[in-house]
Amino acid sequence: MAEKLAPEKRHDFIHNGQKVFEWDQTLEEVNMYITLPPNVHPKAFHCKIQSKHIEVGIKGNPPYLNHDLSAPVKTDCSFWTLEDDIMHITLQKREKGQTWASPILGQGQLDPYATDIEQKRLMLQRFQEENPGFDFSQAQFTGNCPDPRSFMGGIRSD
């Protein structure tokens, strides 16, 4: 049932009319997907994840991405992998349930409607996690959706 509440599609991060990466999020993670350039050996790529900053590039060249993150992450639980010409970066949110409008601070923000849809989906993920015997995949919110982090005392950590 939880997979029904997974992100339906990835968001595109566009800069100067070009797709830089795709991304999605869950209650606990923000995932970034970067298409790698052809003919570059996988060992040439690097990714440095800091609490509030990310740097991605090819060793010996200026970074492809060198930006502050929208919110802090847990560096000990964040990681990156290369698979099928895609760099997949998993950023573990420091604040579970926080809705990110973009992985990159101040850039490529989702519009208010898309942010509201993300917040509603994350709230349903929270309900599903806290009530595993119920199916929230068809549930809907009318009006404003509460913040998944703080609704009814906040997210349980047990």
Side-chain angles (χ1 to χ4, degrees):
M1 285 182 265
E3 60 275 355
K4 293 179 184 176
L5 297 173
E8 291 180 17
K9 67 178 186 99
R10 297 176 183 169
H11 305 289
D12 291 335
F13 185 95
I14 307 290
H15 181 71
N16 290 336
Q18 186 173 17
K19 181 166 57 173
V20 179
F21 60 84
E22 295 177 325
W23 69 281
D24 62 28
Q25 66 183 310
T26 66
L27 274 175
E28 299 181 12
E29 302 172 343
V30 172
N31 295 289
M32 299 170 62
Y33 307 90
I34 302 171
T35 302
L36 301 175
N39 303 321
V40 178
H41 195 276
K43 292 186 184 237
F45 295 101
H46 80 280
C47 179
K48 183 177 180 183
I49 302 169
Q50 297 174 309
S51 174
K52 297 179 182 181
H53 193 86
I54 189 164
E55 184 178 305
V56 176
I58 298 172
K59 295 174 186 171
N61 292 293
Y64 177 69
L65 288 177
N66 189 13
H67 296 284
D68 288 335
L69 297 169
S70 290
V73 299
K74 297 178 183 177
T75 56
D76 58 334
C77 300
S78 299
F79 60 93
W80 61 281
T81 60
L82 300 176
E83 48 194 72
D84 299 327
D85 298 326
I86 301 287
M87 178 181 278
H88 177 190
I89 303 168
T90 300
L91 303 171
Q92 188 78 26
K93 295 177 180 179
R94 187 175 294 165
E95 291 190 44
K96 182 178 178 180
Q98 182 176 19
T99 305
W100 287 28
S102 171
I104 305 299
L105 182 65
Q107 297 184 33
Q109 305 287 319
L110 294 177
D111 63 62
Y113 178 74
T115 300
D116 186 56
I117 289 173
E118 281 292 296
Q119 185 164 322
K120 289 175 180 178
R121 190 180 52 74
L122 293 180
M123 190 70 208
L124 291 173
Q125 277 186 352
R126 176 185 162 187
F127 287 159
Q128 186 68 58
E129 183 178 282
E130 292 177 358
N131 303 280
F134 295 92
D135 181 3
F136 292 96
S137 63
Q138 300 301 314
Q140 295 180 356
F141 287 96
T142 56
N144 291 337
C145 175
D147 184 341
R149 284 180 304 170
S150 58
F151 180 68
M152 293 186 67
I155 292 178
R156 295 182 215 145
S157 59
D158 47 271

